């Protein structure tokens, strides 16, 4: 089964991103991992709504909390750092976060810097990504 790309109809501009992120604590995204990672079949990205660069011990504590709260096991290929994140709107209910890696994307897509944790792992709580090759994301708000 081949996964279909999620269509982005437009990108939020800087002001719309700021408004969109009001009250957002974090966003967690789950997508199928590349086939060679059988023991870690889900590609997770956690977008923390902060521009703070955390010390290593704080990063590890935050990461550990996410693993426990979401029943995530066998994390591999872990990257955590400040990264540019754009947001797109499309046919989905909420705006999709986009981790901008390529310099041309950073230059052309409006974005905000967020603290990002990106890794491969496993979890039965995200069966849609693991079993159906679907990508999804969820917002958590701090009210």
């Amino acid at each position: 089964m081949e996964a279909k790309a999620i269509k982005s109809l437009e990108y939020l501009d800087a002001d719309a991103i700021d408004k969109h992120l009001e009250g957002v604590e974090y966003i967690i995204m789950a997508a199928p991992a590349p086939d060679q990672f059988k023991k870690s079949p889900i590609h997770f990205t956690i977008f923390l709504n902060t521009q703070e660069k955390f010390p290593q011990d704080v990063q590890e504590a935050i990461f550990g909390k996410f693993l426990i709260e979401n029943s995530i096991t066998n994390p591999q290929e872990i990257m955590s750092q400040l990264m540019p994140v754009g947001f797109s709107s499309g046919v989905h209910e909420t705006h999709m976060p986009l981790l901008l890696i390529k310099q041309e994307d950073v230059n052309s897509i409006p974005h905000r810097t967020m603290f990002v944790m990106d890794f491969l792992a496993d979890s039965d709580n995200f069966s849609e990504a693991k079993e159906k090759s679907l990508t999804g994301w969820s917002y958590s708000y701090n009210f």
Side-chain angles (χ1 to χ4, degrees):
M1 174 165 62
E2 186 176 324
K4 294 181 181 173
I6 297 172
K7 293 193 186 331
S8 294
L9 300 178
E10 64 181 328
Y11 298 109
L12 300 185
D13 64 28
D15 289 337
I17 292 172
D18 289 342
K19 185 170 174 44
H20 174 64
L21 289 176
E22 286 177 9
V24 172
E25 183 179 12
Y26 66 87
I27 306 160
I28 187 167
M29 179 178 251
D35 289 339
Q36 67 265 32
F37 295 97
K38 298 284 184 220
K39 293 183 180 177
S40 298
I42 304 171
H43 176 190
F44 288 98
T45 308
I46 300 168
F47 304 88
L48 300 177
N49 190 12
T50 183
Q51 295 182 358
E52 185 176 345
K53 173 78 170 104
F54 298 109
Q56 190 63 35
D57 60 332
V58 174
Q59 289 181 39
E60 290 171 9
I62 292 169
F63 187 66
K65 180 178 185 262
F66 273 101
L67 296 180
I68 291 167
E69 287 181 354
N70 293 285
S71 301
I72 296 172
T73 60
N74 200 31
Q76 298 180 28
E77 309 288 326
I78 303 159
M79 179 278 302
S80 58
Q81 64 188 44
L82 291 170
M83 296 285 295
V85 179
F87 290 86
S88 72
S89 61
V91 296
H92 29 277
E93 289 180 28
T94 57
H95 298 300
M96 180 176 68
L98 306 161
L99 186 58
L100 304 180
I101 305 292
K102 298 178 186 173
Q103 190 59 47
E104 58 263 28
D105 290 340
V106 174
N107 293 339
S108 64
I109 297 172
H111 59 275
R112 283 294 168 259
T113 300
M114 298 177 82
F115 193 84
V116 176
M117 297 178 172
D118 194 70
F119 58 99
L120 303 175
D122 194 8
S123 176
D124 290 336
N125 292 356
F126 298 86
S127 61
E128 296 87 356
K130 187 163 66 172
E131 297 164 11
K132 298 178 183 175
S133 295
L134 298 175
T135 296
W137 54 93
S138 178
Y139 283 76
S140 178
Y141 295 89
N142 50 8
F143 294 111

